[in-house]
Amino acid sequence: MDKSGRWPPVPAGRRGGTYQRAAPHPEHLRGKSGGKLRLEIRKTDGGNTRLNLDDIALLTAAGAATPAVAPASVPAPSSPARTAVVVSRDDNMALGNPSGATSSLSTPNNYLLSKHQYAMSYNAGRGIPNWVSWHLNRAWMGSAPRQDDFRPDPALPRGFYQVSTGSYLGSGFDRGHNCPSADRTTDLDDNSATFLMTNMIPQAANNNQRTWSGLEEYGRRLVDAGNEVYIIMGNYGKGGTGLNGRATTIDQGRITVPARIWKVLVVLPEGTNDLQRIAAGQARVLAIDTPNDQSVSPDWSRYRVSVDAIEEATGLDLLSNIPLEAQDRLEARVDTGPTR
Ligand code: MN
Ligand code: MN
C-alpha cells in the first residue's frame, strides 16, 4: 500500500492474475483463543503479473477480528463452496519435534531450523541434519523446474561450519536431499529451498538414485491418488560405502557419512483434523530403514520396519504429537501394504 492507504494501481497490461481464496486450515482457524492464525493467499496463474487484492475482512465467531479493510465479501459458513475438500499446506512439524530441537546456540547438535518449506534438527558436529520433517500434498506441488542451486544455508548461526557444495566434491557420495526437490515445486523459491546444503546428507549413489528416488516417487503417487503425507527423514550411525569405497567422514572430517538412512511416512486421505484422524487409525504408517551402501537393494519395500525400531536406534520420539496410546499402537506395526 502507498502512503494514502491505497493499493497502487495495476499497470496497464499487467492485470489479469487470478487467485484462489485463502483456504485457511480449519485446525488453525479453530485454534485456542489468542492462538496463532495463519492465512495464505496464493496466486495461481498469470505469470509475473501482480496480484490485486481488495475487500479483505478477518472474521471470527464473535464478528470482525480487526477493523475490516473493506466490506466483507467472505461467503457465509453455510456457503456450498465450503464443502469442497480443503487442500492446504499443513504444519511441517505437525507430528511433533522428535528431538526437542530448539534454536539455541547451546545445543548445536540439535539445532532447530524451521523454514517455510521444511523443518529440521541440524547437527553441526556431523554437518548434516538429524531429521527433516515436512508435509506433502497438492498444495506443495506445481510445475516449478528443478533449480539445482546447491548452496550454503545462510540461516545457520555464524559459529557453525558452513557446508558448501564443494564439501562433497570428489567424496564418492551424492548430495542426497532430505526434503526432495520434486516435493517442493509450487514456485522457484520453494524448490530452491530444497537445495540448501543443510538439507543434504552424503548418500551412496545407489541409495539416492534408486532406493530413495523410488520411495520418494511412491510418496508423490500417493498424493496424486488423493492423499496427504507427513514425512520425516533422518539418519544415524557412522560410515557408509560410496563410489570410492567406505568412508566415515568427508570434507576433512567435518561431515559425517551416516551408516543408516530412514524415513517415516504417515499417509491419510486429503482432509482436515489430521492428528485426530491419525490417532483414530485412519492413516497408514510406513517406516523404512536402509543401509547407506552401494550394495543397497533398489526395492525400498524390503527395508520396512516399525517406527519403534527407528526410535530405538536413534533415541528420537517420532509422532510425539499423537496421543500416547495411539502412538504405541501405530509405532509397533510394520507396514505390509502395497508398494507401487
Ligand atoms: Mn490436512
Ligand atoms: Mn513416538
PDB file of all heavy atoms in Angstrom, residues 5 50 136 223 281 290 294:
ATOM      1  N   GLY A   5      -2.780   4.937   1.857  1.00  0.00           N
ATOM      2  CA  GLY A   5      -3.531   3.790   2.329  1.00  0.00           C
ATOM      3  C   GLY A   5      -4.238   3.046   1.215  1.00  0.00           C
ATOM      4  O   GLY A   5      -5.110   2.233   1.466  1.00  0.00           O
ATOM      5  N   ARG A  50       0.893  -8.837 -11.344  1.00  0.00           N
ATOM      6  CA  ARG A  50       0.660  -8.629  -9.915  1.00  0.00           C
ATOM      7  C   ARG A  50      -0.658  -9.243  -9.453  1.00  0.00           C
ATOM      8  O   ARG A  50      -1.557  -9.526 -10.244  1.00  0.00           O
ATOM      9  CB  ARG A  50       0.716  -7.148  -9.565  1.00  0.00           C
ATOM     10  CG  ARG A  50      -0.271  -6.295 -10.336  1.00  0.00           C
ATOM     11  CD  ARG A  50      -0.089  -4.846  -9.978  1.00  0.00           C
ATOM     12  NE  ARG A  50      -0.416  -4.614  -8.592  1.00  0.00           N
ATOM     13  CZ  ARG A  50       0.386  -3.993  -7.734  1.00  0.00           C
ATOM     14  NH1 ARG A  50       1.554  -3.571  -8.131  1.00  0.00           N
ATOM     15  NH2 ARG A  50       0.016  -3.796  -6.496  1.00  0.00           N
ATOM     16  N   LEU A 136       3.388 -33.017   2.739  1.00  0.00           N
ATOM     17  CA  LEU A 136       3.284 -33.089   1.277  1.00  0.00           C
ATOM     18  C   LEU A 136       1.839 -33.308   0.868  1.00  0.00           C
ATOM     19  O   LEU A 136       1.185 -34.243   1.335  1.00  0.00           O
ATOM     20  CB  LEU A 136       4.151 -34.233   0.741  1.00  0.00           C
ATOM     21  CG  LEU A 136       4.132 -34.413  -0.790  1.00  0.00           C
ATOM     22  CD1 LEU A 136       4.693 -33.194  -1.503  1.00  0.00           C
ATOM     23  CD2 LEU A 136       4.926 -35.661  -1.199  1.00  0.00           C
ATOM     24  N   VAL A 223       0.057 -38.918  -3.177  1.00  0.00           N
ATOM     25  CA  VAL A 223      -0.587 -37.596  -3.222  1.00  0.00           C
ATOM     26  C   VAL A 223      -1.457 -37.483  -4.470  1.00  0.00           C
ATOM     27  O   VAL A 223      -2.593 -37.027  -4.404  1.00  0.00           O
ATOM     28  CB  VAL A 223       0.466 -36.473  -3.171  1.00  0.00           C
ATOM     29  CG1 VAL A 223      -0.171 -35.109  -3.464  1.00  0.00           C
ATOM     30  CG2 VAL A 223       1.155 -36.455  -1.818  1.00  0.00           C
ATOM     31  N   GLY A 281      -6.730 -44.037  13.757  1.00  0.00           N
ATOM     32  CA  GLY A 281      -6.381 -45.203  12.950  1.00  0.00           C
ATOM     33  C   GLY A 281      -6.706 -45.063  11.474  1.00  0.00           C
ATOM     34  O   GLY A 281      -6.765 -46.053  10.754  1.00  0.00           O
ATOM     35  N   THR A 290      17.343 -47.985   5.803  1.00  0.00           N
ATOM     36  CA  THR A 290      18.208 -48.577   4.774  1.00  0.00           C
ATOM     37  C   THR A 290      19.687 -48.365   5.078  1.00  0.00           C
ATOM     38  O   THR A 290      20.057 -47.380   5.720  1.00  0.00           O
ATOM     39  CB  THR A 290      17.943 -47.912   3.401  1.00  0.00           C
ATOM     40  OG1 THR A 290      18.312 -46.529   3.471  1.00  0.00           O
ATOM     41  CG2 THR A 290      16.495 -48.038   2.986  1.00  0.00           C
ATOM     42  N   GLN A 294      26.462 -48.842  -1.409  1.00  0.00           N
ATOM     43  CA  GLN A 294      26.219 -49.126  -2.817  1.00  0.00           C
ATOM     44  C   GLN A 294      25.507 -50.457  -3.003  1.00  0.00           C
ATOM     45  O   GLN A 294      24.868 -50.680  -4.024  1.00  0.00           O
ATOM     46  CB  GLN A 294      27.555 -49.137  -3.584  1.00  0.00           C
ATOM     47  CG  GLN A 294      28.093 -47.745  -3.869  1.00  0.00           C
ATOM     48  CD  GLN A 294      27.163 -46.943  -4.773  1.00  0.00           C
ATOM     49  OE1 GLN A 294      26.171 -46.374  -4.337  1.00  0.00           O
ATOM     50  NE2 GLN A 294      27.488 -46.913  -6.060  1.00  0.00           N
TER      51      GLN A 294
END
